[in-house]
Amino acid sequence: MLPKKSIGWILTLLLVAGLLNPVASVLAHPLLGVAPGDLIAAMNTLRVSNGLPALVEDPIIDAVAQATAETMAANQMSWHIGNVSGRLAAAGYGGGGTVFGTENFAVGYTFGIDEIMVAWSDASHMIPAVKAAYCNIGAGVAKANNGMTYYVLQAAYVAGRSCGSYTSKGGGKPGTGGAPGVSQIIIPVKIATPDADGKVFHEVKAGQSLWAIAVAYKITIRDLEIWNNLPKDASLQIGQKLFIPGSNTAGYATPTPIGMIIPSTPEADGRIVHTVAAYQTLITISQAYGTDVDTLLRLNGLRVDAPLQIGQKLIVHPSNITPSPTPRPLTPIELLTPASDGKYYHTVQSGESLSRIADLYRVKTSDLMSWNGLSEASILQPGQKLLLQLTPPATITPSPAPATQTPTATTAPDTATPSLIPTETAAPSPTAQSVAASMNITTVGYLLIGLAGGGLVLVLIFSRKRK
C-alpha cells in the first residue's frame, strides 16, 4: 500500500496528463464494457426523470474522475481519496470560486450499467440526480491488475454562479454536449398504454437510451435485450418499438418493486440469506428484515460504501448452531518429546541459526550456547541435536468435576456416634468441659495438700502428748 503522500503525487501527475488530453482519457476504454459516457448518460437520465436539467459534462471533472479511477485501480483501494471538492478546485474547476462536489465509485469484475446504478440507488449516491444546484458532471473508468474495474462519477457546481454562467476551458455549453459521442439531450420516457392483448410496446423517441427506458418501466437493460433479441451495445433507432415484459408476460419474473422486499425463509439452522435484486439497497434490505445496516455490514464483511451486485448473497441472520471451539495449537515447547535420557533436544534443520532456535523456544541465545558448549562462532549442522534445559508446560486436560452429593436433613440418633456432617468450627480454644476438668483437677490437688497438712499437724500433737 502506497503512503498518502505518494498517492497525492501520483494523482497530481495523472491529473496533468488528463488535462492535456481530456477527450482521449474519456474515450480510451473500448474494452471495459461500461464507458465513462455510459455513467454520465445514466445519471442524467435519472436527473431528467426528476424534472431537472441534464448536467453538462466538464473536461476538468472528466480528468479528475479519470485520474481518481486510475489511482484507485493502481492501489486497489476501497475508499474515497480525500475531498473531491478540493481536488476539483486544485485542478482548476471553478476558476478560483468555492467548489462543491460529490463523488460516486463502484468496483466489480463484470458490472453492467444496471448493477452500477443499482449500487448507486441510495440517497447519498443519488445527489447528482436529485439536487438542483449541481451543474457539471464527469466520469472515469480504469481496470486494476487483479481484473476489477473501477467506475468513478463526479458532479460539481460553483457557489454563487448559476448553471451555464461558468464553463471550464474547452468545456461544453448547456444542451450542446461535452466530449464527442456523449449526448446531453435526454427526452423523458412516457409510459406506453397496453394494447388490446395487454402487451406493452414502447416507441423509441429521440434522445432516449436503453437505460432511460429501463428506468421508466422499472426493469433492467438485460430484460430489454433478452425480450427484444437485442445484441450487446445495440444502438436504438428513432421509432423502433420495444416489447416491455410485465407481470402478465409468460415466463417473465417481474422484478421486485422499489421499496418492496420479500424476506427469505430461515434455513434449518436458523440462518437467513437474502439474494440482492434490482433496485434494492442495504437500507431497504435491513428495514425488510427488521435489522440495521451496521449488522449487515458486520455479518458480510462489507464497508458502508461497498456497492451491491444483483444476485449477491447477504447473510441477514447467522446460524443458531454454535460451532465447536477450535483447540489451541500446541507451542513448539509443548510439542517436544523427551529422549531416552529424559531430556529434551531440538534437531537442527537446514538454514537454522542459534538465535532462530532460541526465539522458537523463547529462551536466551546465551543460555542455548551454554547448555551445548557452543559459541557465537559455532556452525550448526543439519541433524545436530541441541540440548534444551527446560520443562514443557503441562497440557491441561479438562476433566469432569466429581458429582456433588446433595445433603439431606436427618434426625441424629441419641447415641454417642459422631455426626458425619461437617460443621464449621472456630479456631481451637478452651471449652467449658476442658475448663471444668481443669478446675476439678485443681480442687483435688488442694484437697490432698490440705489432708496431708492436717495429718502432719495431728502427728505433731500426738508426739508432744507422749513426752
Side-chain angles (χ1 to χ4, degrees):
M1 184 64 66
L2 292 175
K4 292 183 178 179
K5 186 175 182 181
S6 300
I7 293 176
W9 279 108
I10 294 173
L11 182 57
T12 301
L13 292 175
L14 291 173
L15 284 173
V16 173
L19 289 172
L20 292 176
N21 193 2
V23 174
S25 296
V26 174
L27 301 180
H29 305 281
L31 301 179
L32 295 182
V34 177
D38 298 325
L39 300 175
I40 295 173
M43 187 60 73
N44 268 337
T45 296
L46 293 177
R47 186 173 173 87
V48 171
S49 69
N50 287 314
L52 300 174
L55 299 171
V56 176
E57 189 175 5
D58 185 273
I60 292 180
I61 302 180
D62 275 334
V64 174
Q66 182 60 35
T68 301
E70 291 175 3
T71 300
M72 296 181 73
N75 296 280
Q76 297 181 17
M77 301 169 65
S78 59
W79 60 91
H80 291 275
I81 305 175
N83 182 1
V84 62
S85 300
R87 278 181 279 140
L88 290 172
Y93 176 79
T98 301
V99 175
F100 289 91
T102 185
E103 177 180 87
N104 294 353
F105 81 86
V107 186
Y109 287 102
T110 57
F111 268 169
I113 192 64
D114 284 327
E115 287 81 5
I116 295 173
M117 298 309 292
V118 167
W120 291 348
S121 62
D122 59 287
S124 61
H125 289 92
M126 281 293 101
I127 290 176
V130 299
K131 193 168 182 178
Y134 281 86
C135 302
N136 298 109
I137 193 171
V141 180
K143 194 167 187 177
N145 291 332
N146 62 358
M148 298 188 73
T149 303
Y150 285 73
Y151 307 90
V152 176
L153 180 138
Q154 297 171 348
Y157 66 95
V158 184
R161 299 183 185 178
S162 59
C163 293
S165 62
Y166 166 78
T167 304
S168 296
K169 185 177 180 180
K173 296 180 180 180
T176 63
V182 180
S183 173
Q184 302 202 14
I185 303 176
I186 299 175
I187 306 299
V189 175
K190 183 179 180 181
I191 302 299
T193 303
D195 60 14
D197 297 328
K199 296 181 178 180
V200 177
F201 290 90
H202 176 80
E203 183 176 344
V204 179
K205 304 294 182 182
Q208 293 181 352
S209 63
L210 281 173
W211 170 249
I213 297 170
V215 169
Y217 288 96
K218 297 295 185 292
I219 59 176
T220 65
I221 290 179
R222 181 63 177 160
D223 292 330
L224 290 174
E225 292 173 342
I226 292 176
W227 289 90
N228 291 276
N229 196 26
L230 297 176
K232 282 286 186 182
D233 303 323
S235 297
L236 297 180
Q237 304 297 323
I238 297 176
Q240 181 179 356
K241 291 191 176 182
L242 298 176
F243 172 67
I244 308 298
S247 57
N248 60 343
T249 303
Y252 175 71
T254 305
T256 304
I258 295 177
M260 177 181 173
I261 294 177
I262 302 175
S264 300
T265 303
E267 298 176 359
D269 60 356
R271 188 168 180 258
I272 301 177
V273 179
H274 176 77
T275 302
V276 179
Y279 307 107
Q280 294 181 355
T281 65
L282 285 172
I283 294 177
T284 57
I285 294 172
S286 65
Q287 291 173 346
Y289 286 93
T291 183
D292 53 69
V293 173
D294 290 339
T295 300
L296 293 179
L297 295 175
R298 175 177 54 81
L299 291 175
N300 296 277
L302 299 176
R303 294 173 58 92
V304 68
D305 54 358
L308 296 181
Q309 301 183 40
I310 295 176
Q312 180 178 354
K313 304 290 186 181
L314 291 180
I315 298 176
V316 179
H317 189 279
S319 171
N320 294 328
I321 300 176
T322 303
S324 302
T326 303
R328 175 182 64 82
L330 298 178
T331 64
I333 296 177
E334 294 171 332
L335 290 173
L336 290 176
T337 301
S340 58
D341 59 1
K343 297 181 180 180
Y344 294 91
Y345 295 88
H346 172 80
T347 303
V348 178
Q349 304 297 319
S350 178
E352 287 186 332
S353 62
L354 285 170
S355 60
R356 181 175 179 180
I357 297 172
D359 290 340
L360 178 64
Y361 295 102
R362 296 184 180 181
V363 298
K364 295 181 180 179
T365 305
S366 58
D367 290 340
L368 185 62
M369 291 189 295
S370 175
W371 297 337
N372 294 275
L374 302 175
S375 66
E376 294 181 353
S378 299
I379 299 177
L380 300 181
Q381 300 295 330
Q384 181 179 350
K385 302 286 187 179
L386 295 181
L387 174 63
L388 299 171
Q389 293 188 4
L390 47 83
T391 303
T395 302
I396 301 176
T397 304
S399 58
T404 302
Q405 295 182 352
T406 304
T408 57
T410 58
T411 303
D414 296 329
T415 65
T417 306
S419 172
L420 296 178
I421 302 176
T423 57
E424 183 177 358
T425 59
S429 61
T431 62
Q433 292 179 353
S434 63
V435 172
S438 176
M439 292 176 63
N440 291 338
I441 293 173
T442 304
T443 303
V444 172
Y446 283 126
L447 181 60
L448 291 175
I449 294 173
L451 292 174
L456 181 60
V457 171
L458 291 175
V459 171
L460 290 176
I461 293 173
F462 284 115
S463 63
R464 284 182 181 181
K465 287 182 177 182
R466 288 176 181 178
K467 292 179 178 181

